Each structure stands twice: as structure tokens, then as C-alpha cells.
Amino acid sequence: MSTNNENNALEPTAIPLSNAPITKQVRVWDILVRVTHWTVAAGIMANLLFTEDGSDLHQYVGYTVVALVVIRLLWGLVGTRYARFTDFFPTPVRIKNHLADLRQRRNDEQHLGHNPLAAIMVLALWAVIIGLGISGYLMESEILGNKDLLEEIHELLANSLYLLIPLHIISAIVMSYWQRQNLIKSMITGNKQVKDQRSTVE
């Protein structure tokens, strides 16, 4: 009798499962989003740091980058869920809710793709790139007579990238820490780790 009691005492007792959320991988960024993102980044860095202003290579890289941004803009209309403007366009309501989440130190679970502040940055970068392409084309084609003004506009837009790009990178690093999610890696793999709402412990 005592032996049975001893054996029962040695048996593992039921231990409550952890309440830690179970995560799953979700494909957020499709292949077109990832390819255009990194190719545009490489092209911008090439023209800012390595190619000679006004050279054929500089123009070729610049027009290629602009073409990729145009493709990405079109994909924002007809592409996959998280690539579409309807998912991430920074409306006043979305910005307000996102800022409220940040103030409360909560993750913005409504925006698995770009959050509203990131969307503002992305749209600003795209606008600058398209502006560079237009001003560069007008300079070389000499359609407009005031070439000096076009050169100043082109240079101003190019210099703005020295501010926008580091801000974009720093923001990605900060939000990676905030969300405990490697956002740079997710733009390579296309995947993000999210809570599995269906996997709850009774």
C-alpha cells in the first residue's frame, strides 16, 4: 500500500500550460515587393555613392529605379493584400490609432504590413525617386529652357535621400526592437511572426 502511494507521489503532476502566445509565420511581402525594394535600394546607393553625375550609367540606373517604383505603384493597386494601398495608406484615422498604440506601448496588430508612419516614409521615398527621374529627364532632354533650376531641384531631391534613407533604416531597427520582430529579415524572407489567435489555452 505504501509502495503505491510512493509511486503516485513520484508521478509528474499536471502542470498548467504557459499563457505565452503561440506564434505562426505569415507571408506578408510577396516576391515582387521584396525584389523591387532591394533593387531600388541598391540602385539609389549606386547613384548616390558610385556613379558619376550625368554619366550614361547614372542615367541608366536612375531610369531603372524609377521604372521599378512605377511597377511597385501599380502593384499597390492590383497586388497581394499587404502590398496594396488599401492596406497601408496613412489615413488620419490610421495614424491616430497607431500613435495611440505607441503611447500605450502596444503593438499595432492592425497593420501587419506597413504601419501608417512607415507608409508615410515609403510614399516620401517614392515621390523623391520619381521627382529625380522627371527632373533628370528634363535636364537631359532640354525640353525646358531653365536647366540651372532643374539641376538645383535634382540636387535638392538627391540630397534629401541622405536624410530619408538613414531615417528609414533607423526606424526599421527601432520598430524591430519594439515589436520584437526582425523587420529587415522579413523583407528578405517575406515572412513575419504573428500571434496565432486560434491557438488559445483553455
Side-chain angles (χ1 to χ4, degrees):
M1 189 68 177
S2 59
T3 303
N4 290 337
N5 290 337
E6 290 176 359
N7 289 338
N8 291 336
L10 294 175
E11 290 179 359
T13 57
I15 301 175
L17 295 176
S18 171
N19 290 326
I22 299 175
T23 62
K24 63 179 180 179
Q25 280 196 345
V26 174
R27 175 55 56 93
V28 176
W29 306 123
D30 60 66
I31 186 66
L32 189 144
V33 169
R34 286 177 283 146
V35 168
T36 54
H37 177 274
W38 293 113
T39 308
V40 165
I44 290 175
M45 297 308 296
N47 267 6
L48 286 178
L49 303 177
F50 301 110
T51 65
E52 182 180 352
D53 293 349
S55 66
D56 290 342
L57 179 59
H58 185 87
Q59 294 178 47
Y60 174 78
V61 172
Y63 292 142
T64 300
V65 168
V66 172
L68 289 170
V69 170
V70 170
I71 290 171
R72 177 62 183 89
L73 289 171
L74 294 175
W75 195 240
L77 300 175
V78 300
T80 54
R81 173 183 175 183
Y82 298 108
R84 293 194 181 194
F85 296 120
T86 52
D87 183 75
F88 68 85
F89 194 82
T91 63
V93 173
R94 286 176 172 175
I95 294 172
K96 178 182 177 181
N97 292 339
H98 180 63
L99 292 175
D101 285 335
L102 292 179
R103 284 194 294 268
Q104 297 297 323
R105 300 188 65 83
R106 295 193 304 259
N107 284 336
D108 183 358
E109 297 180 358
Q110 299 301 313
H111 298 98
L112 190 55
H114 293 306
N115 66 56
L117 297 184
I120 292 173
M121 172 61 70
V122 168
L123 293 174
L125 286 168
W126 288 345
V128 169
I129 291 168
I130 291 175
L132 283 167
I134 293 173
S135 59
Y137 174 77
L138 292 176
M139 276 194 304
E140 295 304 320
S141 64
E142 298 183 350
I143 294 176
L144 299 180
N146 198 337
K147 188 174 181 179
D148 290 340
L149 176 60
L150 290 171
E151 287 180 351
E152 290 180 6
I153 293 173
H154 193 79
E155 184 176 358
L156 177 64
L157 291 171
N159 288 338
S160 71
L161 291 175
Y162 288 108
L163 173 64
L164 292 175
I165 292 173
L167 183 58
H168 178 53
I169 295 172
I170 292 170
S171 298
I173 294 172
V174 170
M175 290 307 297
S176 292
Y177 174 78
W178 183 279
Q179 299 177 359
R180 302 187 184 280
Q181 177 124 233
N182 191 329
L183 299 180
I184 297 174
K185 181 181 178 181
S186 72
M187 187 54 75
I188 297 174
T189 64
N191 300 323
K192 283 187 175 182
Q193 292 285 342
V194 299
K195 294 178 183 177
D196 188 348
Q197 301 296 340
R198 295 170 302 178
S199 302
T200 56
V201 178
E202 297 293 339

